[in-house]
Amino acid sequence: MRFTSEQRLDDRVLEREFTLGEIPGTLWTPDSTAPAPLILIAHNNGLPKAQPRLVARARATAAAGYAAVTIDAVGCGDRPRSAADVQLRAGLGRAMRAGEPTDEIFESLVGPLVENAAPEWLTTLDAVLALPEVGGPVGYSGWTALGIRLAVTEPRIGAAGFFAGGFVPRAQREEAKQVGIPLLLLLQWDDEGNPRQRALDLFDTFGTEEKTLHANMGGHTGTPWFEAEDAFRFYGRHLMQGPAAK
């Protein structure tokens, strides 16, 4: 891991850009002398790590006492996309504008994104946990399809917060049965891009006995501000060495 820049933010959070082989990422750490528990902040398929809503969430996470890390995995942000990926995204846009079925396009697009992203997130996890200022335990926050894969393959992840969940590939819907860690699913009731009933069905599918659903009115980007505070209480409860719930 090679840090390429750093800045101290107004809330004393240290923000550092890094590269890890071909993986670009950002790490936020709190102003603390003790190693901080880590939250993986994953954006949805294809968005950049510099997306403002993601950055705001990561900064708030670090200000709450956690280390937070995000990356641009293969096909995300400015990283090159395959010709097939570009073609599928164009086809998805046309289908959505025409009101045509999009399930199979999503399946062909999102499935490979998960397969390619998961190994790079695990590589990043190894590198960040090797830093003296980060001590674990580990939580996950963000993109549901990727989070399911990581939750069932990475035992160091002790709790997960998922967003939306309406469009999740069939492979991850099957894997959801194996998720055994505490889970918080955030659902926007009027999410224009994620069918509500599919998200509710997915919540039923998760195998863990410790799962909580928070549903709020509004569209995809309308998650209320107080859900961030509730999420920190959730992580505080389930990441044994995390900051105490407030």
Side-chain angles (χ1 to χ4, degrees):
M1 174 179 279
R2 182 173 68 89
F3 289 105
T4 57
S5 70
E6 69 173 60
Q7 63 173 325
R8 183 70 68 174
L9 306 176
D10 291 343
D11 51 12
R12 303 300 299 163
V13 168
L14 181 62
E15 179 182 86
R16 286 175 285 178
E17 301 288 332
F18 65 84
T19 58
L20 185 58
E22 296 182 354
I23 307 169
T26 309
L27 174 67
W28 295 264
T29 48
D31 185 18
S32 173
T33 57
L38 176 65
I39 306 292
L40 308 179
I41 307 285
H43 44 74
N44 284 358
N45 38 24
L47 292 177
K49 63 183 181 64
Q51 203 270 344
R53 290 173 61 243
L54 180 143
V55 171
R57 182 157 52 96
R59 289 180 174 179
T61 299
Y66 300 88
V69 65
T70 191
I71 63 171
D72 278 341
V74 175
C76 296
D78 294 329
R79 293 187 68 182
R81 292 173 176 171
S82 68
D85 188 51
V86 172
Q87 185 176 10
L88 282 168
R89 289 179 185 278
L92 177 61
R94 287 192 298 269
M96 292 180 71
R97 288 190 295 271
E100 299 173 352
T102 57
D103 284 13
E104 292 308 314
I105 302 177
F106 266 109
E107 187 75 27
S108 299
L109 176 63
V110 179
L113 277 174
V114 172
E115 296 296 334
N116 291 329
E120 294 197 336
W121 271 99
L122 295 179
T123 297
T124 302
L125 177 59
D126 289 339
V128 174
L129 286 181
L131 299 172
E133 61 269 36
V134 182
V138 181
Y140 175 92
S141 173
W143 177 18
T144 299
L146 173 66
I148 292 171
R149 169 58 57 84
L150 295 181
V152 300
T153 58
E154 178 45 69
R156 290 173 291 184
I157 296 177
F162 295 156
F163 297 168
F167 278 112
V168 172
R170 286 185 285 269
Q172 277 66 65
R173 287 185 173 273
E174 187 63 27
E175 288 175 333
K177 301 174 184 177
Q178 305 173 43
V179 172
I181 60 176
L183 172 67
L184 171 64
L185 178 64
L186 298 184
L187 170 64
Q188 286 301 102
W189 205 246
D190 306 302
D191 191 330
E192 59 278 11
N194 284 274
R196 179 194 309 163
Q197 190 58 52
R198 291 190 185 186
L200 296 174
D201 291 344
L202 180 65
F203 183 75
D204 278 340
T205 299
F206 286 118
T208 179
E209 294 182 358
E210 296 187 59
K211 54 184 176 180
T212 300
L213 173 68
H214 286 188
N216 292 281
M217 302 302 292
H220 185 69
T221 60
T223 303
W225 61 268
F226 55 77
E227 286 294 357
E229 295 183 354
D230 287 347
F232 298 145
R233 285 191 284 268
F234 165 78
Y235 291 119
R237 288 195 302 273
H238 296 296
L239 302 181
M240 294 181 292
Q241 299 174 16
K246 296 181 181 180

